[in-house]
Amino acid sequence: MVLTKKIEGKSVIGSPGHSTDEKRQQVGTFLRNADKSILRELEGRVILGLRRRGKMILIDCAGNRSILIHLKMTGQLFVTSHREPVDKHTRFILRFKSRSRELRFRDIRKFGFIRCLGTSEADGCPELAGLGPEPLDLDFRSFQSLLKGRGGRLKPLLLNQKIIAGIGNIYADEILYRARLDPRARVQSLKVKEVRRLWLAMRRILREAITLRGSSIRDFIDSERKEGEYQDRHLAYGREAEPCPRCGRKIARIRLAGRSTYYCPRCQR
DNA sequence: AGCCCATCCTGTCCGC
DNA sequence: TGCGGACAGGATGGGC
């Protein structure tokens, strides 16, 4: 993406907004979940690089400043023309020195956040410090030991960012479907063969999803405003009552870990 | 430890 | 067409 671009003077701004409702909002209100000091902290700095850790995005800037972003459910982070109209869900704009393009953070439900912190303290900040390992960095043995002694159920384990970082509701379901494992199964009860299937499925599903640039169900777009294509490959998630591609039985939907969970009651056990 | 629930917020969709 | 309720890629904190 945008490397070594200089952030311009008045570059970080709250959206002017177009609706009357928006006009009444103070900038401070509009930058909800964001530290206002980000405005002057970033001015004039050069972007040095981009990182990701679990679901957290980091933009490292010169002078030991980093921007930390979580998109949560409906967040979007994209580069666009400065001419592109700014809608009421846009919460943040980084304008670059070159002026013609800018980075925007849009978030309909406002669950996401963006804040500034010292690059050197980033790894130790609360949002990053507690995260488990990256799923694609885990070899089979490490994965095995990660599961050892856990009494809970499979799906909540996959969703737990402290155990493994980065897996969300869609991919938890897709991974378990591919591994042919019941989302409610006890982690302890898994045989070595099943742990192996889970590990393989995790790697396969995440790699494919990354290649296809993620799943756009409703709001998700990438940094170029492009939708992902992985939603077309979902075999379980969002397919309640549709036939299981493997056995034909209807995909079931249950509530687990507070989330909708789709699985095949025949294949997954 | 682990489970469920409510909560943050806006938008969409479905049944009546 | 309108209205109410359920639900949505996440994560946390409280209570049991």
Side-chain angles (χ1 to χ4, degrees), chain A residues 27-227:
Chain A
V27 169
T29 311
F30 195 64
L31 301 181
R32 204 174 169 285
N33 287 337
D35 184 352
K36 252 195 293 181
S37 62
I38 195 169
L39 297 165
R40 50 171 197 284
E41 282 190 65
L42 294 175
E43 193 174 311
R45 291 187 194 279
V46 169
I47 294 177
L48 301 176
L50 296 170
R51 293 185 276 159
R52 177 197 60 79
R53 178 80 177 88
K55 296 172 185 173
M56 308 289 323
I57 297 165
L58 282 136
I59 304 175
D60 295 320
C61 302
N64 194 36
R65 293 278 91 191
S66 290
I67 310 168
L68 183 70
I69 301 158
H70 196 310
L71 302 176
K72 297 279 180 96
M73 309 273 262
T74 53
Q76 302 172 334
L77 194 64
F78 58 89
V79 177
T80 191
S81 159
H82 69 293
R83 288 185 218 281
E84 183 72 25
V86 176
D87 80 340
K88 64 172 181 173
H89 300 301
T90 304
R91 311 220 347 251
F92 233 83
I93 301 175
L94 276 185
R95 186 173 295 156
F96 304 119
K97 190 116 191 254
S98 57
R99 280 194 157 265
S100 63
R101 292 174 77 68
E102 53 194 35
L103 179 72
R104 295 188 188 177
F105 175 49
R106 218 181 146 248
D107 185 15
I108 294 167
R109 289 175 75 179
K110 302 179 184 167
F111 289 174
F113 62 84
I114 180 166
R115 68 181 190 88
C116 203
L117 75 176
T119 307
S120 53
E121 299 126 51
D123 291 340
C125 78
E127 292 90 343
L128 296 184
L131 291 179
E134 290 291 320
L136 294 177
D137 287 348
L138 285 170
D139 59 30
F140 179 61
R141 284 189 178 283
S142 321
F143 185 68
Q144 251 184 323
S145 52
L146 216 53
L147 268 54
K148 201 164 255 175
R150 307 231 173 238
R153 298 173 195 277
L154 269 184
K155 175 155 173 179
L157 172 112
L158 291 179
L159 290 177
N160 189 340
Q161 305 298 302
K162 296 182 189 86
I163 299 174
I164 305 171
I167 298 173
N169 201 36
I170 293 176
Y171 300 110
D173 280 5
E174 292 302 310
I175 289 166
L176 290 165
Y177 178 81
R178 186 173 179 93
R180 308 196 306 277
L181 294 168
D182 189 326
R184 300 160 300 181
R186 296 276 165 190
V187 178
Q188 269 175 327
S189 74
L190 292 191
K191 303 181 175 82
V192 178
K193 237 179 133 173
E194 294 173 324
V195 177
R196 180 103 194 153
R197 287 215 305 269
L198 185 58
W199 179 72
L200 284 169
M202 178 178 79
R203 296 173 67 80
R204 174 65 87 90
I205 296 289
L206 295 179
R207 287 214 165 106
E208 279 178 12
I210 290 165
T211 302
L212 293 177
R213 304 178 340 279
S215 305
S216 296
I217 307 282
R218 228 178 230 99
D219 304 298
F220 176 72
I221 47 167
D222 68 12
S223 60
E224 294 166 347
R225 296 192 99 179
K226 264 170 64 184
E227 294 189 345

Side-chain angles (χ1 to χ4, degrees), chain A residues 232-247:
Chain A
D232 304 331
R233 302 273 187 108
H234 293 171
L235 298 180
Y237 181 84
R239 306 192 52 164
E240 183 186 14
E242 289 180 47
C244 164
R246 201 185 284 126
C247 78

